[in-house]
Amino acid sequence: QVQLVESGGGLVQAGGSLRLSCAASGRTFSYGMGWFRQAPGKEREFVAAISWSGGDTYYGDFVKGRFTISRDNAKNTVYLQMNSLKPEDTAVYYCAAKYTPHGSSWSTRNALEYDYWGQGTQVTVSS
């Protein structure tokens, strides 16, 4: 079992920055991690993912260099640094974990691939 708790969301003006954190507890070894978001009335959307080692990162097409995913395995925490925020980035952001034994790959953009989810943190970007 893995428990995930997101934090760092809030209200920010357009052009501003936020850093989201996802603290993992439980059996966290060998888990790839992802961030998704969901705006009201829209489907859950892939934002970013990172492999267990941190050596591989993946981003949604809309990110375009504005967001950076990273992880600190010593702290069991994954981060999402978001810069140049836009009103259309407003959503609930979710952290997710995918068991990846021996560094196996997974379909990072597919929410169904992930084994565990956090409760989400609200990000609101005002214009």
Side-chain angles (χ1 to χ4, degrees), residues 17 19 26 46 58 62 69 74 76 106 110:
S17 298
R19 188 176 81 154
F46 171 71
Y58 312 87
F62 70 89
I69 189 171
N76 288 336
W106 79 104
N110 185 354

Side-chain angles (χ1 to χ4, degrees), residues 10 14 16 20 22 27 36 38 42 54 61 63 69-71 86 91-92 102 108 113-114 116-117 120 122:
L20 305 184
C22 173
R27 192 179 176 88
F36 288 76
Q38 189 165 18
K42 294 188 177 182
D61 295 338
V63 170
I69 189 171
S70 61
R71 68 188 299 161
K86 306 174 182 179
V92 177
H102 310 298
T108 57
E113 286 270 322
Y114 291 80
Y116 300 98
W117 291 83
Q122 176 71 46

Side-chain angles (χ1 to χ4, degrees), residues 7-27:
S7 61
L11 174 64
V12 64
Q13 288 188 333
S17 298
L18 282 175
R19 188 176 81 154
L20 305 184
S21 298
C22 173
S25 59
R27 192 179 176 88

Side-chain angles (χ1 to χ4, degrees), residues 75-126:
K75 296 182 179 179
N76 288 336
T77 302
V78 177
Y79 305 98
L80 183 68
Q81 177 67 43
M82 304 188 295
N83 299 327
S84 302
L85 284 163
K86 306 174 182 179
E88 50 263 45
D89 293 319
T90 295
V92 177
Y93 283 70
Y94 297 92
C95 174
K98 166 65 179 177
Y99 182 54
T100 56
H102 310 298
S104 57
S105 61
W106 79 104
S107 180
T108 57
R109 298 169 182 261
N110 185 354
L112 297 177
E113 286 270 322
Y114 291 80
D115 302 306
Y116 300 98
W117 291 83
Q119 294 300 307
T121 185
Q122 176 71 46
V123 171
T124 303
V125 184
S126 62

